[in-house]
Amino acid sequence: MAESFKNMFDKPFFGRFVNDLSLVLQNMSVDKFVTLVMDEEWENRGYKQRIAHITTVLHKFMPTEYKEAVAKIFKLLDCVKVRLLDFSKIDDKNFNLLTLEYGVILDHYVERYGIEDYETSVKAIERITQFTTCEFVTHAFIVKYQDEMMKQMLAWSKHPHWGVRRLASEGCRPRLPWAMSLPKLKENPAPIIPITLDLHLGGVK
């Protein structure tokens, strides 16, 4: 599965990605971006390695200040939202709503460059997860800021957007496949129970 996932990052993908980035970044060039991404090691990289490498290249084009980079991500999401499906309402017949194709790159950007800026990153995660899924990102922040993040997860379980509510439970699964391990929650999952109960008893999807 990872093999097929990694092959989604092809030249047409980067063309669409860079075209969208050009809406908020003035220095974007498809040829330059693709040249930097598809280097001599590209074919040897696996799925997660490709995500990390793309994120590194993206960082070269983003503002140096992390808060400014997040502001660009928010502006990008505002720009592309008009052409995407309405992610604010869950559709039981359509489980492909949170599918912004380059969302995983934005996720990883927050994890990679925002781990030391908790407040800005939490706001970024809350916003980005309304377009894609951020459960891999939250694991890194739970490891570093477990008490704060579990309180945030509980707050997110009451969020009006179903994608954020989904993150409240998925984002703290101790044994989530492919995600960073959460050893403290494996040992003592008690902080997860209020979140699960809140979602279940609240009757929300």
Side-chain angles (χ1 to χ4, degrees), residues 98-140:
L98 300 178
T99 53
L100 182 65
E101 64 174 337
Y102 48 78
V104 66
I105 309 301
L106 304 182
D107 294 354
H108 192 70
Y109 194 94
V110 172
E111 178 182 349
R112 179 101 169 258
Y113 298 106
I115 194 67
E116 300 299 332
D117 188 342
Y118 175 81
E119 292 186 4
T120 301
S121 293
V122 165
K123 293 176 183 176
I125 291 168
E126 181 175 326
R127 182 71 183 282
I128 295 170
T129 204
Q130 296 179 41
F131 294 81
T132 183
T133 177
C134 286
E135 61 255 36
F136 298 119
V137 184
T138 53
H139 276 224

Side-chain angles (χ1 to χ4, degrees), residues 59-130:
H59 188 58
K60 299 177 185 295
F61 294 86
M62 294 286 268
T64 304
E65 173 61 41
Y66 176 67
K67 285 183 173 63
E68 293 179 13
V70 168
K72 292 292 185 182
I73 291 175
F74 285 4
K75 188 175 180 180
L76 170 64
L77 296 177
D78 286 339
C79 289
V80 302
K81 181 179 180 179
V82 295
R83 72 165 190 262
L84 300 173
L85 293 170
D86 182 3
F87 294 162
S88 65
K89 299 176 183 178
I90 191 169
D91 181 352
D92 289 336
K93 297 179 181 178
N94 185 357
F95 293 99
N96 295 314
L97 291 177
L98 300 178
T99 53
L100 182 65
E101 64 174 337
Y102 48 78
V104 66
I105 309 301
L106 304 182
D107 294 354
H108 192 70
Y109 194 94
V110 172
E111 178 182 349
R112 179 101 169 258
Y113 298 106
I115 194 67
E116 300 299 332
D117 188 342
Y118 175 81
E119 292 186 4
T120 301
S121 293
V122 165
K123 293 176 183 176
I125 291 168
E126 181 175 326
R127 182 71 183 282
I128 295 170
T129 204
Q130 296 179 41

Side-chain angles (χ1 to χ4, degrees), residues 150-159 164 168 195 198:
M150 294 310 292
K151 290 177 183 177
Q152 184 62 59
M153 292 291 193
L154 184 59
W156 280 340
S157 71
K158 303 176 179 68
H159 197 279
V164 182
I195 297 168
D198 200 32

